[in-house]
Amino acid sequence: MKFSLLALFFCPFIFAQTQYPKNDFRPPLDIPMQLSGNFGELRPNHFHAGFDLKTNQREGLSVHAIAEGYVSRIKISTFGNGKCIYITHPNGYTSVYGHLQTPVGEIQEYVKKTHYKEKAYEIEVFPKPFELPVTKGQIIALSGNTGSSEGPHLHFEIRDSKTEFVINPMFFGFDQNIKDTKKPTLSSLYVYPLDNATVNQSKQPLLVNMTLQKDGTYLAGKIKTNGKIGFGINAVDNDDVSHNKNGVFNVSTFLNGNQNYNYQFNTYSFDEMRYINAFIDYSRYKKTSQRIQKLFMKTPFALSIIKTDSERGIISAQPNLASTYRIEVSDYFGNHNSITVPIEYDTATPPVQAEPVTSKYFVRYNKDSNFEKDNMSVFFPAGTFYEDFNMNFDVRNNKVYIHDDTVPVHSNFTITIKDSTYPESLREKLYIGKGTSYNGTFRKGDVFTAKAKILGQYGLVLDTIAPVIKLAKPVEGKWISDQKKIDFTISDSSSGIKSYNGYLNGKWVLFEYENKARRITHTFDDELLLEGENDLKIEVIDNVGNSAIFETRFFRSQQK
């Protein structure tokens, strides 16, 4: 490996301590700050980008601008952060508020006008600095549960306005709002034999016994190995109030007193987020849902929070030389815990062999790979994976089998299927899917291609079934003058919903979509309603063009 790459990834163990402003920002909520998720916490396919703040298990709390500035971005999405507001501040930082129930005041009016201008619920706009200025403490929204939220809370971030890097909010004085005297919890330690090494007479990863010492630290059982090994831990942190299992702030490892691996959750970019799948033991996570944080890099990857030596945290046992390995884990407040691991060289023959390799193919992570059989193929560009691995590939029963999802994928690969068995009239209704899960599919004649990011079984899926529209409460021919809203559920059994639209008396009207309930809701606006009879139409289209239409009429009086 070239020195330039080493210099890029393997820096000295020094984290630059930027002087962040400590007194510029107020809390975004009026209630005491309680965390249900912290910065850097391990999530599916990403590190958590900020704080999740509890809202007393309810929606509708006032959300305040943490400082003066202007609304620089508004994104309304059915997934992710749901309804989300971004405020750019004059001190060089941007605050982000997600999962909102609704913006308020001028911001809400701006959002509503944009919905109707674009005739869409999902929008993303970037107001000019003079359009939506805000003052410190101004109420900008009500807290909610929109997007991919699993319960009412406020997602809160701070970003560098120029680089878009997310920054740990603790650095901005919010640590003064949280009490934490508890040290992190170390629940498990794993050791990994590397490059055909053995560890405790095994060629497979092992769970290591730990004994609690009188001082509160842990002593691990003796590790005997004859080659290169790495370690991994399961560690979480708790504060004094929230009682949630959050992520740890800093992990450092030492071999015979010399630091050889470290990461600290200060700041990182969104481009780095997916490296979490290399950061953890991904295979174990897929099999057990347990996230083991690896303390070594078998193959280097560009995650800036990691600082390590030239061996990338890997330990090489030497004959006649005992070593001591120490893992230290700490939270932002300096509470810490540690494990001491004795290591000895071992020459015993392992009774537990490595898992047998049954695959026919070998993939190198840094080279293009293409596999083809019959009418199906898959292409992996260089950099698709984090490490070299033995891959299973086969085509049978009109399916392409591409290993399994215990191997993480960093970037898109391409699946191609040629199939002329379907008549032209049905080809527009075909897509490449994992089961019935839809992948955006491009067709040219009888050749179908799609991008994917998960290994597994794929094939062509035919979808000729239209979406389903159901009205929650029938209104046909009824007077509903006192009804404030109207709800529908919309669903699709195969390719999934691509778009939906609602029309009141022939004009487009806003229906908000709640993906968790598959519900669309229109809040009546007297300006859009007619006195007496009103016609309502809902149209839903799935990802291959099947459509469904629901029409009804109701009566409403505007007389108060």
Side-chain angles (χ1 to χ4, degrees):
M1 184 172 291
K2 295 181 180 180
F3 176 79
S4 59
L5 188 59
L6 289 171
L8 177 62
F9 294 131
F10 308 136
C11 306
F13 299 96
I14 299 173
F15 283 95
Q17 297 298 320
T18 302
Q19 295 302 310
Y20 298 104
K22 297 286 187 180
N23 302 307
D24 288 8
F25 298 143
R26 58 150 285 167
L29 299 171
D30 292 323
I31 62 174
M33 185 175 284
Q34 295 186 47
L35 299 179
S36 59
N38 67 345
F39 186 82
E41 186 174 303
L42 310 182
R43 300 284 180 89
N45 295 316
H46 70 285
F47 301 100
H48 193 225
F51 286 169
D52 281 345
L53 299 174
K54 293 188 177 185
T55 57
N56 293 334
Q57 298 181 333
R58 63 188 182 93
E59 300 183 43
L61 300 187
S62 295
V63 178
H64 300 265
I66 62 172
E68 68 171 319
Y70 68 94
V71 176
S72 55
R73 182 183 178 191
I74 302 169
K75 185 174 183 180
I76 310 294
S77 173
T78 56
F79 296 95
N81 284 332
K83 297 182 180 181
C84 191
I85 294 174
Y86 301 70
I87 297 176
T88 296
H89 305 285
N91 61 1
Y93 300 99
T94 295
S95 53
V96 182
Y97 314 78
H99 304 310
L100 303 171
Q101 182 188 79
T102 181
V104 299
E106 292 183 358
I107 303 174
Q108 172 59 8
E109 289 301 314
Y110 186 98
V111 169
K112 183 178 178 180
K113 288 179 181 178
T114 305
H115 283 309
Y116 278 88
K117 179 183 177 181
E118 298 188 9
K119 295 183 178 180
Y121 172 63
E122 289 195 290
I123 58 173
E124 184 173 16
V125 289
F126 300 86
K128 303 296 182 184
F130 60 85
E131 291 186 277
L132 294 172
V134 297
T135 58
K136 185 174 183 177
Q138 178 180 328
I139 299 175
I140 60 169
L142 301 179
S143 68
N145 186 29
T146 55
S148 299
S149 170
E150 296 180 355
H153 72 278
L154 175 67
H155 175 79
F156 172 68
E157 299 175 18
I158 296 181
R159 303 183 183 182
D160 183 293
S161 297
K162 291 183 178 179
T163 66
E164 283 287 306
F165 275 50
V166 289
I167 306 168
N168 195 330
M170 290 291 191
F171 290 130
F172 295 88
F174 291 110
D175 55 326
Q176 300 302 313
N177 302 91
I178 298 170
K179 185 178 180 181
D180 183 356
T181 61
K182 297 181 179 180
K183 61 185 179 181
T185 300
L186 291 159
S187 58
S188 57
L189 171 68
Y190 283 83
V191 59
Y192 295 81
L194 307 174
D195 297 343
N196 203 37
T198 64
V199 57
N200 290 3
Q201 299 190 11
S202 172
K203 287 184 175 290
Q204 296 186 25
L206 295 175
L207 177 66
V208 181
N209 291 327
M210 299 187 298
T211 304
L212 182 64
Q213 304 300 290
K214 291 183 178 180
D215 62 358
T217 63
Y218 289 90
L219 176 64
K222 185 177 292 185
I223 300 298
K224 295 184 177 182
T225 181
N226 64 356
K228 293 183 177 181
I229 58 174
F231 288 90
I233 57 169
N234 188 358
V236 296
D237 187 45
N238 302 87
D239 59 39
D240 294 4
V241 180
S242 302
H243 308 300
N244 288 77
K245 293 181 179 180
N246 296 322
V248 298
F249 175 62
N250 182 291
V251 176
S252 296
T253 67
F254 303 83
L255 182 62
N256 298 324
N258 297 312
Q259 192 173 24
N260 67 338
Y261 200 84
N262 173 254
Y263 54 85
Q264 181 167 298
F265 287 100
N266 291 356
T267 178
Y268 41 82
S269 72
F270 284 93
D271 290 340
E272 299 177 76
M273 289 291 195
R274 199 170 176 86
Y275 283 119
I276 188 174
N277 294 330
F279 180 82
I280 64 172
D281 181 344
Y282 185 84
S283 177
R284 185 173 297 277
Y285 165 64
K286 295 301 293 186
K287 294 173 182 176
T288 68
S289 298
Q290 184 182 36
R291 292 188 178 96
I292 302 300
Q293 304 165 48
K294 294 191 295 186
L295 306 178
F296 64 97
M297 286 181 175
K298 186 175 180 181
T299 302
F301 54 92
L303 180 55
S304 63
I305 64 170
I306 295 177
K307 313 297 177 185
T308 182
D309 63 8
S310 60
E311 297 300 316
R312 307 189 301 276
I314 295 172
I315 299 161
S316 298
Q318 303 296 327
N320 304 316
L321 181 63
S323 298
T324 299
Y325 180 74
R326 189 173 79 257
I327 305 166
E328 293 187 354
V329 180
S330 61
D331 62 24
Y332 182 86
F333 298 88
N335 306 302
H336 64 275
N337 209 336
S338 66
I339 308 172
T340 299
V341 187
I343 301 173
E344 289 184 1
Y345 190 81
D346 186 24
T347 57
T349 302
V352 181
Q353 298 295 327
E355 292 186 11
V357 176
T358 58
S359 59
K360 301 178 181 178
Y361 307 97
F362 186 71
V363 176
R364 297 192 180 277
Y365 80 98
N366 59 351
K367 291 186 177 181
D368 293 349
S369 299
N370 189 74
F371 301 93
E372 184 174 356
K373 183 180 178 182
D374 299 335
N375 62 325
M376 302 188 185
S377 66
V378 59
F379 172 69
F380 301 111
T384 301
F385 303 104
Y386 302 107
E387 297 178 354
D388 301 344
F389 73 102
N390 294 289
M391 191 188 77
N392 290 306
F393 171 82
D394 198 5
V395 173
R396 58 184 187 274
N397 301 322
N398 296 318
K399 304 287 184 184
V400 56
Y401 294 79
I402 313 169
H403 205 74
D404 60 64
D405 66 355
T406 60
V407 174
V409 177
H410 185 70
S411 55
N412 287 324
F413 58 91
T414 302
I415 301 167
T416 302
I417 299 176
K418 184 175 182 180
D419 193 313
S420 58
T421 60
Y422 291 90
E424 182 65 29
S425 60
L426 290 179
R427 289 179 187 175
E428 292 295 336
K429 305 298 183 182
L430 291 166
Y431 66 92
I432 293 176
K434 187 174 187 288
T436 58
S437 177
Y438 177 79
N439 288 79
T441 302
F442 172 78
R443 181 179 74 91
K444 187 175 182 180
D446 59 359
V447 177
F448 301 80
T449 59
K451 303 288 187 182
K453 259 188 178 180
I454 303 174
L455 298 182
Q457 175 185 323
Y458 290 85
L460 282 181
V461 181
L462 177 64
D463 179 9
T464 59
I465 302 173
V468 176
I469 307 170
K470 293 182 179 179
L471 179 59
K473 182 180 179 182
V475 298
E476 177 66 28
K478 296 182 179 181
W479 285 88
I480 57 170
S481 301
D482 295 330
Q483 192 168 317
K484 295 181 180 180
K485 299 179 179 180
I486 189 165
D487 296 329
F488 293 82
T489 57
I490 58 176
S491 60
D492 188 77
S493 61
S494 186
S495 62
I497 293 169
K498 180 180 181 180
S499 66
Y500 69 90
N501 286 285
Y503 302 91
L504 183 62
N505 301 315
K507 296 181 180 180
W508 186 92
V509 290
L510 175 65
F511 274 84
E512 297 197 0
Y513 180 66
E514 171 51 59
N515 75 75
K516 293 181 282 292
R518 296 185 296 184
R519 181 177 61 242
I520 59 173
T521 301
H522 173 67
T523 301
F524 288 123
D525 185 335
D526 289 347
E527 294 181 2
L528 303 175
L529 290 163
L530 300 177
E531 179 71 22
E533 183 176 342
N534 288 266
D535 295 315
L536 180 65
K537 182 172 96 170
I538 306 296
E539 182 179 24
V540 181
I541 302 173
D542 69 17
N543 279 297
V544 295
N546 300 305
S547 64
I549 294 176
F550 183 99
E551 295 183 278
T552 190
R553 66 186 178 94
F554 59 86
F555 295 87
R556 192 173 176 96
S557 174
Q558 308 305 321
Q559 304 299 320
K560 302 298 182 182

